[in-house]
Amino acid sequence: MATVTSVLQHGPEEIRQLPVKGFGRRSILQGDVEKKRSCKLQSNRRIFFRPVASIQYSEHKIKAVEGHRPSLWANLSFSFDVKGQERCREAIEALKEDVKSLVTAKDCKPSDKMILIDTMERLGVAYLFEQEVGEQIDQIYKFDAEDGSDKDLFTTALYFRLFRQHGYDAPSSVFDKFKDEDNKFKKTLISDINGLWSLYEASYLRYHGEDVLEEALVFTKHNLNQALPQLDSLLKEKVSRALEIPIHRAAEIVEARYFISFYETDESRNELLLRLAKLNFKFLQNLYRKELGDLTKWWNELNATSELPYVRDRIVECYFWAVVIIFEPQHSLSRLAVPKGIAMGTVLNDTYDTYATLEELEIFTEIVNRSDDKEIDRLPKYMKRIAHFLLTVYEEQEREALKQGRSYAASYALELLKLLPGAYLKKAKWYKGQEVPTFEDHTSIGAIVGGCNVLISPIFMNLASGSEEAVDWLKREPAIVVAASLLLRFFNDICTYEREQRTGQFPTAVDCYKIENGLSTQETLHKFIEFSEDQYKTINKEWVASRVPRQFMKPALNYARAVYVTYGRNADGFSEPQKGIESDIVALLVDPITI
């Protein structure tokens, strides 16, 4: 499997040495920032840019925006095999007791048990044994996690990663024993490929200030890349995939599909686990296809693509995000609510950023904020269509919430919805030269339009854990949710910068930071990579340190994973899936699995 090298996968020290391809254009900033470092501005100063004229669109000539490709999936259709699905369910149930006995076996060494749990998680079946796996991890953490043991690098890193993934605050000091007298990782470790791979994966669970894991990332990445051409085919495929997308930032069920293909060629495979993994993936894929068929029908009935041709038609990509955020089969209602929310955000984003006039946007924002449908006649026809679209999405969510006695969740979802138009209006005024932002302004708005809380709120309407306590937690703007939203903004800023420069969306967050700090484009983009890594460290720490139930936080963690899968290949994989997530969508939804 080919490795896609991304500038977004490098640690803070390493990225300073990397060239950023495709970002060599001079911006339209007044003055040459590349050369005039002596004119560095203070970050709290307002900067004055040349206004960009707004474009008026005729009521009768609503047209597509140049550069938006049509959907890759226009001809995609699936049938749902009801009988086949039931047979698959029965086969899974028949295997579960035997696999459960593997998890709970008392005569299994702790290290072998950890390898088993890691394998089950990679195969996408650990969720079927959530209680048993949790109990085993807890026992091993209590009785077999002591520092100073004789565990090798592979086992030490595996324990560390699984503990943190399961919410235990494992200390990074366990890796100190693998350093030499100069406080560098021992050169003898270079030949231990499995150990390097395990340490590489563990490094992505780092917090702020964990220098040993920053060093581990650089050390392992360099040496794994150096060793890659000489590895045997199976290990080479596993390491290549990890270098492309580390497991902690990967989409769980998508990675399961790739790992199944690796595992079935592994001579040490457990045939029971392999069969369960294949049946489980087939069951989920069939369910996802049915859900996507229902979603596509809903999207087509809204006629959003034909009536609003300037909007990106990305309903399949929206659904892909939903599966990444919440993949388990029992969460169909939540999984269908997510892509509708993303589609809603896409309509708003494309309308505010690239299409409507300021006058239209100000009226629309006022109407949404006041929830006053009596004023809709003030809008042009196409914006009435958008208002209807938003109302349809919200009313569907409200009905589902009321069915389950969760009206409190629906009312909060509406509050969050109302924040989006105001935030997008701010950005529109910046791009049309009406207001002048700072980088701090961009960051504040980015926390809103990043939208993690907007997507989590409808999930809570349908989850068993979506109690009033969960909604109250979300209202407090928890750090893990804010970090996930900012993560999307920073990644998006990096991957869309060149396109935004071409299309006149100016001044972007990158432009503002660049001129405020007197940096080059390349230096600025590297800083945004560091900002992104900071958000991941916050997410990692909150995942372990926060005392709220992890089922509240899991959608935010998976939201961050969706961001990485979509943008971590140094491309806007949502707008241009052929540069990012197309292969993952094919693996998840199109290619059948052979049992």
PDB file of all heavy atoms in Angstrom, residues 85 88 92 95 120 123-128 253 256 260 273-286 288 327 329 593 595:
ATOM      1  N   GLN A  85     -28.737  -9.843   5.815  1.00  0.00           N
ATOM      2  CA  GLN A  85     -28.367  -9.124   7.027  1.00  0.00           C
ATOM      3  C   GLN A  85     -28.709  -9.935   8.275  1.00  0.00           C
ATOM      4  O   GLN A  85     -27.937  -9.978   9.237  1.00  0.00           O
ATOM      5  CB  GLN A  85     -29.073  -7.761   7.057  1.00  0.00           C
ATOM      6  CG  GLN A  85     -28.591  -6.824   8.144  1.00  0.00           C
ATOM      7  CD  GLN A  85     -27.249  -6.184   7.818  1.00  0.00           C
ATOM      8  OE1 GLN A  85     -26.460  -6.717   7.054  1.00  0.00           O
ATOM      9  NE2 GLN A  85     -26.981  -5.038   8.416  1.00  0.00           N
ATOM     10  N   CYS A  88     -26.281 -12.771   8.693  1.00  0.00           N
ATOM     11  CA  CYS A  88     -25.007 -12.238   9.176  1.00  0.00           C
ATOM     12  C   CYS A  88     -25.086 -11.963  10.684  1.00  0.00           C
ATOM     13  O   CYS A  88     -24.166 -12.294  11.439  1.00  0.00           O
ATOM     14  CB  CYS A  88     -24.687 -10.952   8.419  1.00  0.00           C
ATOM     15  SG  CYS A  88     -22.966 -10.466   8.464  1.00  0.00           S
ATOM     16  N   ILE A  92     -22.799 -13.754  13.652  1.00  0.00           N
ATOM     17  CA  ILE A  92     -22.019 -12.964  14.614  1.00  0.00           C
ATOM     18  C   ILE A  92     -22.346 -13.393  16.037  1.00  0.00           C
ATOM     19  O   ILE A  92     -21.445 -13.604  16.863  1.00  0.00           O
ATOM     20  CB  ILE A  92     -22.304 -11.461  14.419  1.00  0.00           C
ATOM     21  CG1 ILE A  92     -21.696 -10.969  13.109  1.00  0.00           C
ATOM     22  CG2 ILE A  92     -21.746 -10.649  15.589  1.00  0.00           C
ATOM     23  CD1 ILE A  92     -22.107  -9.556  12.727  1.00  0.00           C
ATOM     24  N   LEU A  95     -20.690 -16.561  17.183  1.00  0.00           N
ATOM     25  CA  LEU A  95     -19.241 -16.503  17.433  1.00  0.00           C
ATOM     26  C   LEU A  95     -18.887 -15.730  18.702  1.00  0.00           C
ATOM     27  O   LEU A  95     -17.787 -15.895  19.239  1.00  0.00           O
ATOM     28  CB  LEU A  95     -18.542 -15.833  16.246  1.00  0.00           C
ATOM     29  CG  LEU A  95     -18.493 -16.601  14.927  1.00  0.00           C
ATOM     30  CD1 LEU A  95     -17.908 -15.719  13.835  1.00  0.00           C
ATOM     31  CD2 LEU A  95     -17.670 -17.878  15.071  1.00  0.00           C
ATOM     32  N   MET A 120      -8.233  -6.864  18.372  1.00  0.00           N
ATOM     33  CA  MET A 120      -9.691  -6.751  18.273  1.00  0.00           C
ATOM     34  C   MET A 120     -10.125  -5.329  17.943  1.00  0.00           C
ATOM     35  O   MET A 120     -11.059  -5.117  17.160  1.00  0.00           O
ATOM     36  CB  MET A 120     -10.325  -7.218  19.587  1.00  0.00           C
ATOM     37  CG  MET A 120     -10.179  -8.711  19.850  1.00  0.00           C
ATOM     38  SD  MET A 120     -10.759  -9.191  21.496  1.00  0.00           S
ATOM     39  CE  MET A 120     -12.498  -8.802  21.364  1.00  0.00           C
ATOM     40  N   LEU A 123      -9.386  -4.666  14.356  1.00  0.00           N
ATOM     41  CA  LEU A 123     -10.308  -5.405  13.491  1.00  0.00           C
ATOM     42  C   LEU A 123     -11.735  -4.868  13.564  1.00  0.00           C
ATOM     43  O   LEU A 123     -12.606  -5.296  12.800  1.00  0.00           O
ATOM     44  CB  LEU A 123     -10.307  -6.892  13.867  1.00  0.00           C
ATOM     45  CG  LEU A 123      -9.057  -7.692  13.499  1.00  0.00           C
ATOM     46  CD1 LEU A 123      -9.113  -9.071  14.140  1.00  0.00           C
ATOM     47  CD2 LEU A 123      -8.891  -7.814  11.983  1.00  0.00           C
ATOM     48  N   GLY A 124     -11.983  -3.934  14.477  1.00  0.00           N
ATOM     49  CA  GLY A 124     -13.292  -3.308  14.559  1.00  0.00           C
ATOM     50  C   GLY A 124     -14.343  -4.094  15.304  1.00  0.00           C
ATOM     51  O   GLY A 124     -15.542  -3.812  15.159  1.00  0.00           O
ATOM     52  N   VAL A 125     -13.938  -5.061  16.157  1.00  0.00           N
ATOM     53  CA  VAL A 125     -14.923  -5.881  16.864  1.00  0.00           C
ATOM     54  C   VAL A 125     -14.900  -5.681  18.373  1.00  0.00           C
ATOM     55  O   VAL A 125     -15.721  -6.260  19.087  1.00  0.00           O
ATOM     56  CB  VAL A 125     -14.729  -7.389  16.546  1.00  0.00           C
ATOM     57  CG1 VAL A 125     -14.948  -7.654  15.069  1.00  0.00           C
ATOM     58  CG2 VAL A 125     -13.347  -7.874  16.990  1.00  0.00           C
ATOM     59  N   ALA A 126     -13.993  -4.877  18.897  1.00  0.00           N
ATOM     60  CA  ALA A 126     -13.883  -4.709  20.355  1.00  0.00           C
ATOM     61  C   ALA A 126     -15.153  -4.118  20.953  1.00  0.00           C
ATOM     62  O   ALA A 126     -15.492  -4.402  22.113  1.00  0.00           O
ATOM     63  CB  ALA A 126     -12.674  -3.841  20.694  1.00  0.00           C
ATOM     64  N   TYR A 127     -15.892  -3.300  20.182  1.00  0.00           N
ATOM     65  CA  TYR A 127     -17.111  -2.681  20.714  1.00  0.00           C
ATOM     66  C   TYR A 127     -18.151  -3.734  21.091  1.00  0.00           C
ATOM     67  O   TYR A 127     -19.039  -3.480  21.918  1.00  0.00           O
ATOM     68  CB  TYR A 127     -17.685  -1.691  19.700  1.00  0.00           C
ATOM     69  CG  TYR A 127     -18.470  -2.322  18.576  1.00  0.00           C
ATOM     70  CD1 TYR A 127     -19.853  -2.419  18.628  1.00  0.00           C
ATOM     71  CD2 TYR A 127     -17.827  -2.828  17.442  1.00  0.00           C
ATOM     72  CE1 TYR A 127     -20.587  -3.001  17.600  1.00  0.00           C
ATOM     73  CE2 TYR A 127     -18.528  -3.403  16.408  1.00  0.00           C
ATOM     74  CZ  TYR A 127     -19.907  -3.496  16.488  1.00  0.00           C
ATOM     75  OH  TYR A 127     -20.621  -4.083  15.470  1.00  0.00           O
ATOM     76  N   LEU A 128     -18.072  -4.934  20.486  1.00  0.00           N
ATOM     77  CA  LEU A 128     -19.005  -6.016  20.807  1.00  0.00           C
ATOM     78  C   LEU A 128     -18.754  -6.584  22.195  1.00  0.00           C
ATOM     79  O   LEU A 128     -19.610  -7.288  22.749  1.00  0.00           O
ATOM     80  CB  LEU A 128     -18.883  -7.138  19.771  1.00  0.00           C
ATOM     81  CG  LEU A 128     -19.264  -6.779  18.328  1.00  0.00           C
ATOM     82  CD1 LEU A 128     -18.854  -7.887  17.376  1.00  0.00           C
ATOM     83  CD2 LEU A 128     -20.760  -6.498  18.222  1.00  0.00           C
ATOM     84  N   ILE A 253     -13.686   2.213  12.056  1.00  0.00           N
ATOM     85  CA  ILE A 253     -14.230   1.169  11.192  1.00  0.00           C
ATOM     86  C   ILE A 253     -13.559   1.167   9.822  1.00  0.00           C
ATOM     87  O   ILE A 253     -13.471   0.132   9.159  1.00  0.00           O
ATOM     88  CB  ILE A 253     -15.769   1.298  11.065  1.00  0.00           C
ATOM     89  CG1 ILE A 253     -16.365   0.018  10.500  1.00  0.00           C
ATOM     90  CG2 ILE A 253     -16.158   2.513  10.244  1.00  0.00           C
ATOM     91  CD1 ILE A 253     -16.101  -1.220  11.337  1.00  0.00           C
ATOM     92  N   ALA A 256     -10.441  -0.747  10.293  1.00  0.00           N
ATOM     93  CA  ALA A 256     -10.762  -2.166  10.423  1.00  0.00           C
ATOM     94  C   ALA A 256     -10.744  -2.841   9.060  1.00  0.00           C
ATOM     95  O   ALA A 256     -10.240  -3.966   8.911  1.00  0.00           O
ATOM     96  CB  ALA A 256     -12.122  -2.333  11.080  1.00  0.00           C
ATOM     97  N   ILE A 260      -8.158  -5.841   8.337  1.00  0.00           N
ATOM     98  CA  ILE A 260      -8.632  -7.186   7.996  1.00  0.00           C
ATOM     99  C   ILE A 260      -7.812  -7.755   6.838  1.00  0.00           C
ATOM    100  O   ILE A 260      -7.422  -8.929   6.847  1.00  0.00           O
ATOM    101  CB  ILE A 260     -10.132  -7.164   7.652  1.00  0.00           C
ATOM    102  CG1 ILE A 260     -10.962  -6.954   8.922  1.00  0.00           C
ATOM    103  CG2 ILE A 260     -10.558  -8.460   6.966  1.00  0.00           C
ATOM    104  CD1 ILE A 260     -12.424  -6.667   8.664  1.00  0.00           C
ATOM    105  N   LEU A 273     -11.279 -14.894  15.262  1.00  0.00           N
ATOM    106  CA  LEU A 273     -11.315 -13.429  15.232  1.00  0.00           C
ATOM    107  C   LEU A 273     -11.485 -12.911  13.812  1.00  0.00           C
ATOM    108  O   LEU A 273     -12.239 -11.961  13.566  1.00  0.00           O
ATOM    109  CB  LEU A 273     -10.031 -12.852  15.823  1.00  0.00           C
ATOM    110  CG  LEU A 273      -9.969 -12.578  17.318  1.00  0.00           C
ATOM    111  CD1 LEU A 273      -8.636 -11.921  17.651  1.00  0.00           C
ATOM    112  CD2 LEU A 273     -11.117 -11.697  17.749  1.00  0.00           C
ATOM    113  N   LEU A 274     -10.776 -13.516  12.873  1.00  0.00           N
ATOM    114  CA  LEU A 274     -10.840 -13.069  11.490  1.00  0.00           C
ATOM    115  C   LEU A 274     -12.249 -13.223  10.931  1.00  0.00           C
ATOM    116  O   LEU A 274     -12.780 -12.308  10.279  1.00  0.00           O
ATOM    117  CB  LEU A 274      -9.844 -13.849  10.631  1.00  0.00           C
ATOM    118  CG  LEU A 274      -9.842 -13.509   9.136  1.00  0.00           C
ATOM    119  CD1 LEU A 274      -9.475 -12.050   8.917  1.00  0.00           C
ATOM    120  CD2 LEU A 274      -8.874 -14.437   8.386  1.00  0.00           C
ATOM    121  N   ARG A 275     -12.874 -14.379  11.207  1.00  0.00           N
ATOM    122  CA  ARG A 275     -14.238 -14.595  10.697  1.00  0.00           C
ATOM    123  C   ARG A 275     -15.215 -13.609  11.331  1.00  0.00           C
ATOM    124  O   ARG A 275     -16.067 -13.030  10.638  1.00  0.00           O
ATOM    125  CB  ARG A 275     -14.682 -16.033  10.965  1.00  0.00           C
ATOM    126  CG  ARG A 275     -16.100 -16.304  10.486  1.00  0.00           C
ATOM    127  CD  ARG A 275     -16.427 -17.774  10.427  1.00  0.00           C
ATOM    128  NE  ARG A 275     -17.823 -17.992  10.067  1.00  0.00           N
ATOM    129  CZ  ARG A 275     -18.329 -17.867   8.834  1.00  0.00           C
ATOM    130  NH1 ARG A 275     -17.527 -17.517   7.829  1.00  0.00           N
ATOM    131  NH2 ARG A 275     -19.611 -18.082   8.593  1.00  0.00           N
ATOM    132  N   LEU A 276     -15.086 -13.391  12.629  1.00  0.00           N
ATOM    133  CA  LEU A 276     -15.968 -12.431  13.289  1.00  0.00           C
ATOM    134  C   LEU A 276     -15.782 -11.031  12.695  1.00  0.00           C
ATOM    135  O   LEU A 276     -16.765 -10.308  12.467  1.00  0.00           O
ATOM    136  CB  LEU A 276     -15.688 -12.403  14.790  1.00  0.00           C
ATOM    137  CG  LEU A 276     -16.517 -11.387  15.598  1.00  0.00           C
ATOM    138  CD1 LEU A 276     -18.004 -11.705  15.500  1.00  0.00           C
ATOM    139  CD2 LEU A 276     -16.064 -11.353  17.046  1.00  0.00           C
ATOM    140  N   ALA A 277     -14.530 -10.643  12.463  1.00  0.00           N
ATOM    141  CA  ALA A 277     -14.252  -9.312  11.907  1.00  0.00           C
ATOM    142  C   ALA A 277     -14.879  -9.147  10.526  1.00  0.00           C
ATOM    143  O   ALA A 277     -15.465  -8.103  10.208  1.00  0.00           O
ATOM    144  CB  ALA A 277     -12.752  -9.075  11.842  1.00  0.00           C
ATOM    145  N   LYS A 278     -14.782 -10.170   9.702  1.00  0.00           N
ATOM    146  CA  LYS A 278     -15.353 -10.089   8.354  1.00  0.00           C
ATOM    147  C   LYS A 278     -16.878 -10.028   8.396  1.00  0.00           C
ATOM    148  O   LYS A 278     -17.506  -9.232   7.671  1.00  0.00           O
ATOM    149  CB  LYS A 278     -14.891 -11.285   7.528  1.00  0.00           C
ATOM    150  CG  LYS A 278     -13.432 -11.212   7.092  1.00  0.00           C
ATOM    151  CD  LYS A 278     -13.095 -12.343   6.137  1.00  0.00           C
ATOM    152  CE  LYS A 278     -11.716 -12.177   5.526  1.00  0.00           C
ATOM    153  NZ  LYS A 278     -11.428 -13.226   4.519  1.00  0.00           N
ATOM    154  N   LEU A 279     -17.475 -10.866   9.235  1.00  0.00           N
ATOM    155  CA  LEU A 279     -18.934 -10.848   9.359  1.00  0.00           C
ATOM    156  C   LEU A 279     -19.410  -9.495   9.893  1.00  0.00           C
ATOM    157  O   LEU A 279     -20.409  -8.936   9.416  1.00  0.00           O
ATOM    158  CB  LEU A 279     -19.385 -11.964  10.288  1.00  0.00           C
ATOM    159  CG  LEU A 279     -19.362 -13.380   9.719  1.00  0.00           C
ATOM    160  CD1 LEU A 279     -19.517 -14.405  10.839  1.00  0.00           C
ATOM    161  CD2 LEU A 279     -20.451 -13.571   8.665  1.00  0.00           C
ATOM    162  N   ASN A 280     -18.702  -8.969  10.889  1.00  0.00           N
ATOM    163  CA  ASN A 280     -19.076  -7.689  11.474  1.00  0.00           C
ATOM    164  C   ASN A 280     -18.972  -6.572  10.447  1.00  0.00           C
ATOM    165  O   ASN A 280     -19.864  -5.716  10.349  1.00  0.00           O
ATOM    166  CB  ASN A 280     -18.166  -7.392  12.670  1.00  0.00           C
ATOM    167  CG  ASN A 280     -18.470  -6.057  13.317  1.00  0.00           C
ATOM    168  OD1 ASN A 280     -19.536  -5.837  13.870  1.00  0.00           O
ATOM    169  ND2 ASN A 280     -17.518  -5.137  13.226  1.00  0.00           N
ATOM    170  N   PHE A 281     -17.893  -6.577   9.661  1.00  0.00           N
ATOM    171  CA  PHE A 281     -17.747  -5.522   8.663  1.00  0.00           C
ATOM    172  C   PHE A 281     -18.817  -5.645   7.586  1.00  0.00           C
ATOM    173  O   PHE A 281     -19.400  -4.636   7.159  1.00  0.00           O
ATOM    174  CB  PHE A 281     -16.362  -5.559   8.020  1.00  0.00           C
ATOM    175  CG  PHE A 281     -16.117  -4.385   7.120  1.00  0.00           C
ATOM    176  CD1 PHE A 281     -15.637  -3.185   7.633  1.00  0.00           C
ATOM    177  CD2 PHE A 281     -16.417  -4.444   5.766  1.00  0.00           C
ATOM    178  CE1 PHE A 281     -15.454  -2.079   6.820  1.00  0.00           C
ATOM    179  CE2 PHE A 281     -16.234  -3.353   4.946  1.00  0.00           C
ATOM    180  CZ  PHE A 281     -15.747  -2.165   5.474  1.00  0.00           C
ATOM    181  N   LYS A 282     -19.102  -6.872   7.174  1.00  0.00           N
ATOM    182  CA  LYS A 282     -20.149  -7.067   6.163  1.00  0.00           C
ATOM    183  C   LYS A 282     -21.498  -6.574   6.688  1.00  0.00           C
ATOM    184  O   LYS A 282     -22.250  -5.909   5.956  1.00  0.00           O
ATOM    185  CB  LYS A 282     -20.244  -8.549   5.791  1.00  0.00           C
ATOM    186  CG  LYS A 282     -21.286  -8.840   4.719  1.00  0.00           C
ATOM    187  CD  LYS A 282     -21.292 -10.306   4.336  1.00  0.00           C
ATOM    188  CE  LYS A 282     -22.325 -10.575   3.242  1.00  0.00           C
ATOM    189  NZ  LYS A 282     -22.340 -12.010   2.849  1.00  0.00           N
ATOM    190  N   PHE A 283     -21.791  -6.889   7.934  1.00  0.00           N
ATOM    191  CA  PHE A 283     -23.042  -6.447   8.555  1.00  0.00           C
ATOM    192  C   PHE A 283     -23.120  -4.926   8.595  1.00  0.00           C
ATOM    193  O   PHE A 283     -24.142  -4.329   8.228  1.00  0.00           O
ATOM    194  CB  PHE A 283     -23.133  -7.026   9.974  1.00  0.00           C
ATOM    195  CG  PHE A 283     -24.360  -6.607  10.725  1.00  0.00           C
ATOM    196  CD1 PHE A 283     -25.547  -7.300  10.570  1.00  0.00           C
ATOM    197  CD2 PHE A 283     -24.326  -5.522  11.592  1.00  0.00           C
ATOM    198  CE1 PHE A 283     -26.694  -6.919  11.269  1.00  0.00           C
ATOM    199  CE2 PHE A 283     -25.455  -5.137  12.292  1.00  0.00           C
ATOM    200  CZ  PHE A 283     -26.650  -5.833  12.132  1.00  0.00           C
ATOM    201  N   LEU A 284     -22.049  -4.283   9.040  1.00  0.00           N
ATOM    202  CA  LEU A 284     -22.031  -2.829   9.125  1.00  0.00           C
ATOM    203  C   LEU A 284     -22.095  -2.185   7.744  1.00  0.00           C
ATOM    204  O   LEU A 284     -22.820  -1.205   7.534  1.00  0.00           O
ATOM    205  CB  LEU A 284     -20.784  -2.361   9.874  1.00  0.00           C
ATOM    206  CG  LEU A 284     -20.738  -2.669  11.368  1.00  0.00           C
ATOM    207  CD1 LEU A 284     -19.388  -2.260  11.950  1.00  0.00           C
ATOM    208  CD2 LEU A 284     -21.861  -1.975  12.108  1.00  0.00           C
ATOM    209  N   GLN A 285     -21.341  -2.719   6.800  1.00  0.00           N
ATOM    210  CA  GLN A 285     -21.342  -2.133   5.458  1.00  0.00           C
ATOM    211  C   GLN A 285     -22.737  -2.185   4.843  1.00  0.00           C
ATOM    212  O   GLN A 285     -23.189  -1.221   4.218  1.00  0.00           O
ATOM    213  CB  GLN A 285     -20.341  -2.866   4.558  1.00  0.00           C
ATOM    214  CG  GLN A 285     -20.177  -2.222   3.188  1.00  0.00           C
ATOM    215  CD  GLN A 285     -19.210  -2.974   2.300  1.00  0.00           C
ATOM    216  OE1 GLN A 285     -19.471  -4.115   1.917  1.00  0.00           O
ATOM    217  NE2 GLN A 285     -18.092  -2.342   1.970  1.00  0.00           N
ATOM    218  N   ASN A 286     -23.428  -3.301   5.037  1.00  0.00           N
ATOM    219  CA  ASN A 286     -24.781  -3.425   4.507  1.00  0.00           C
ATOM    220  C   ASN A 286     -25.718  -2.405   5.158  1.00  0.00           C
ATOM    221  O   ASN A 286     -26.548  -1.772   4.500  1.00  0.00           O
ATOM    222  CB  ASN A 286     -25.294  -4.847   4.748  1.00  0.00           C
ATOM    223  CG  ASN A 286     -26.459  -5.198   3.845  1.00  0.00           C
ATOM    224  OD1 ASN A 286     -26.544  -4.753   2.702  1.00  0.00           O
ATOM    225  ND2 ASN A 286     -27.366  -6.019   4.370  1.00  0.00           N
ATOM    226  N   TYR A 288     -24.762   0.471   6.533  1.00  0.00           N
ATOM    227  CA  TYR A 288     -24.362   1.809   6.068  1.00  0.00           C
ATOM    228  C   TYR A 288     -24.915   2.095   4.682  1.00  0.00           C
ATOM    229  O   TYR A 288     -25.337   3.217   4.385  1.00  0.00           O
ATOM    230  CB  TYR A 288     -22.840   1.925   6.043  1.00  0.00           C
ATOM    231  CG  TYR A 288     -22.152   1.800   7.387  1.00  0.00           C
ATOM    232  CD1 TYR A 288     -20.809   1.403   7.464  1.00  0.00           C
ATOM    233  CD2 TYR A 288     -22.817   2.070   8.575  1.00  0.00           C
ATOM    234  CE1 TYR A 288     -20.157   1.295   8.679  1.00  0.00           C
ATOM    235  CE2 TYR A 288     -22.173   1.953   9.798  1.00  0.00           C
ATOM    236  CZ  TYR A 288     -20.844   1.562   9.846  1.00  0.00           C
ATOM    237  OH  TYR A 288     -20.193   1.443  11.046  1.00  0.00           O
ATOM    238  N   PHE A 327     -19.875   4.925  14.682  1.00  0.00           N
ATOM    239  CA  PHE A 327     -19.998   3.837  13.719  1.00  0.00           C
ATOM    240  C   PHE A 327     -20.841   2.656  14.189  1.00  0.00           C
ATOM    241  O   PHE A 327     -21.276   1.833  13.379  1.00  0.00           O
ATOM    242  CB  PHE A 327     -18.610   3.318  13.323  1.00  0.00           C
ATOM    243  CG  PHE A 327     -17.972   2.392  14.328  1.00  0.00           C
ATOM    244  CD1 PHE A 327     -18.181   1.019  14.265  1.00  0.00           C
ATOM    245  CD2 PHE A 327     -17.157   2.885  15.325  1.00  0.00           C
ATOM    246  CE1 PHE A 327     -17.592   0.166  15.180  1.00  0.00           C
ATOM    247  CE2 PHE A 327     -16.557   2.039  16.251  1.00  0.00           C
ATOM    248  CZ  PHE A 327     -16.781   0.672  16.185  1.00  0.00           C
ATOM    249  N   PRO A 329     -23.631  -0.027  15.198  1.00  0.00           N
ATOM    250  CA  PRO A 329     -24.900  -0.239  14.475  1.00  0.00           C
ATOM    251  C   PRO A 329     -26.131   0.290  15.191  1.00  0.00           C
ATOM    252  O   PRO A 329     -27.115   0.675  14.539  1.00  0.00           O
ATOM    253  CB  PRO A 329     -24.976  -1.761  14.321  1.00  0.00           C
ATOM    254  CG  PRO A 329     -24.073  -2.318  15.378  1.00  0.00           C
ATOM    255  CD  PRO A 329     -22.979  -1.312  15.525  1.00  0.00           C
ATOM    256  N   ILE A 593     -16.624  -7.310   1.059  1.00  0.00           N
ATOM    257  CA  ILE A 593     -15.612  -8.110   1.731  1.00  0.00           C
ATOM    258  C   ILE A 593     -15.922  -9.580   1.499  1.00  0.00           C
ATOM    259  O   ILE A 593     -17.083 -10.000   1.515  1.00  0.00           O
ATOM    260  CB  ILE A 593     -15.561  -7.781   3.233  1.00  0.00           C
ATOM    261  CG1 ILE A 593     -14.309  -8.372   3.870  1.00  0.00           C
ATOM    262  CG2 ILE A 593     -16.821  -8.235   3.966  1.00  0.00           C
ATOM    263  CD1 ILE A 593     -14.007  -7.794   5.239  1.00  0.00           C
ATOM    264  N   ILE A 595     -15.942 -13.421   2.483  1.00  0.00           N
ATOM    265  CA  ILE A 595     -15.917 -14.255   3.689  1.00  0.00           C
ATOM    266  C   ILE A 595     -15.729 -15.718   3.287  1.00  0.00           C
ATOM    267  O   ILE A 595     -16.442 -16.232   2.441  1.00  0.00           O
ATOM    268  CB  ILE A 595     -17.220 -14.093   4.504  1.00  0.00           C
ATOM    269  CG1 ILE A 595     -17.368 -12.627   4.932  1.00  0.00           C
ATOM    270  CG2 ILE A 595     -17.235 -15.020   5.708  1.00  0.00           C
ATOM    271  CD1 ILE A 595     -18.628 -12.336   5.703  1.00  0.00           C
TER     272      ILE A 595
END
